[in-house]
Amino acid sequence: MTTANLTLGGKLVMASTAPKNGENQMTPEAFVYTELQISVPFADVPWQDLNDQIDNEPGFLNKTWFSGVGNNSVGGIYSFDSVEAAQHYCTTFFPAAAKAFGVAQTTRVFDAAVVSDASRDMGSPHFGAAPTQAPGAFVYTEVQINVPFEKAPWQARNPVLKQQKGLISKLWLSGLNTNTLGGVDAFDTVENARAFAVDDFPNTAAKLNAAFYTRVFDASIAEAASRGLHSPYYT
């Protein structure tokens, strides 16, 4: 898809453009994962225009942009101040953006409150941890399993993850209404991220006897765009 194809046909603003009043500093109540079924170099994504619009969505706190390794898909992980705001984004703005680009899309909403302790233990900047370094890559994971997070074995899993080569931090994810388990893992390099997604994580899913979903994203090429939307990985 060319740059011209990616030019939005008009604004996608679907909410008030009132000032944020420091909302990006609030503790998140929900996370949203998105991905467009598209292949375009991130340099050709009109992220500056999109950032202006996303930043004015109700309840929006921050976004980290994702660019797919090997396929140039475009997406991100977002924080919202309420589940309702996250759902609103996934049912209004993002489907309209996908339609403007003429592509299919993926969205997921996650309950932030239930994963706060587990994520803090993994140094997640979404819950106030100071980033130790800028990430080189992200891995998104989701396991097709229904486990309320309070019953999830994160206390046993976190010490194992902390030994993972190149892992900087982890944001745990718990699917709203589905109780799927997953996360966004920040790595120092794409190579270490790929090794986790391809070599390590399938073994974890096999122990759960569950299908799973993994994606590897290049963090460095989307850093400026992420900084523009208050990404906690770069504060």
Side-chain angles (χ1 to χ4, degrees):
M1 185 163 287
T2 66
T3 304
N5 295 135
L6 282 169
T7 302
L8 288 174
K11 289 282 187 179
L12 289 176
V13 176
M14 298 184 181
S16 168
T17 57
K20 303 300 286 181
N21 294 323
E23 283 182 330
N24 57 299
Q25 302 300 319
M26 295 172 60
T27 300
E29 292 295 326
F31 299 112
V32 167
Y33 168 82
T34 65
E35 190 174 1
L36 292 173
Q37 191 178 17
I38 198 171
S39 180
V40 59
F42 196 79
D44 293 337
V45 175
W47 60 263
Q48 294 95 335
D49 291 338
L50 288 168
N51 276 11
D52 289 342
Q53 298 170 54
I54 294 168
D55 204 19
N56 285 306
E57 281 295 289
F60 171 79
L61 301 179
N62 58 65
K63 174 181 179 175
T64 302
W65 281 89
F66 288 163
S67 178
V69 171
N71 68 350
N72 288 324
S73 64
V74 179
I77 186 74
Y78 309 62
S79 300
F80 284 87
D81 67 6
S82 71
V83 168
E84 293 75 17
Q87 292 173 313
H88 177 78
Y89 183 82
C90 290
T91 56
T92 57
F93 184 95
F94 196 78
K99 184 176 181 179
F101 294 148
V103 299
Q105 54 108 74
T106 296
T107 55
R108 297 282 192 274
V109 179
F110 300 95
D111 184 343
V114 298
V115 301
S116 59
D117 289 344
S119 298
R120 285 192 180 97
D121 184 58
M122 291 300 300
S124 172
H126 287 85
F127 291 100
T132 58
Q133 65 184 93
F138 297 106
V139 175
Y140 172 84
T141 60
E142 190 174 0
V143 181
Q144 192 179 24
I145 193 171
N146 186 329
V147 177
F149 199 77
E150 60 268 19
K151 297 181 179 179
W154 65 264
Q155 294 95 337
R157 179 65 174 158
N158 279 8
V160 176
L161 287 169
K162 290 174 182 179
Q163 301 303 312
Q164 187 70 39
K165 183 179 179 181
L167 183 67
I168 300 170
S169 66
K170 179 183 182 68
L171 171 66
W172 279 93
L173 297 174
S174 177
L176 184 70
N177 300 324
T178 62
N179 292 321
T180 55
L181 292 178
V184 173
D185 301 80
F187 281 86
D188 57 353
T189 65
V190 168
E191 291 72 23
N192 284 333
R194 185 185 289 113
F196 174 71
V198 174
D199 299 328
D200 182 85
F201 195 78
N203 296 327
T204 300
K207 293 176 183 177
L208 297 171
N209 193 32
F212 64 97
Y213 186 91
T214 57
R215 289 290 188 270
V216 180
F217 300 101
D218 186 337
S220 60
I221 60 176
E223 180 175 342
S226 297
R227 286 181 180 274
L229 282 180
H230 331 296
S231 171
Y233 292 101
Y234 303 102
T235 55

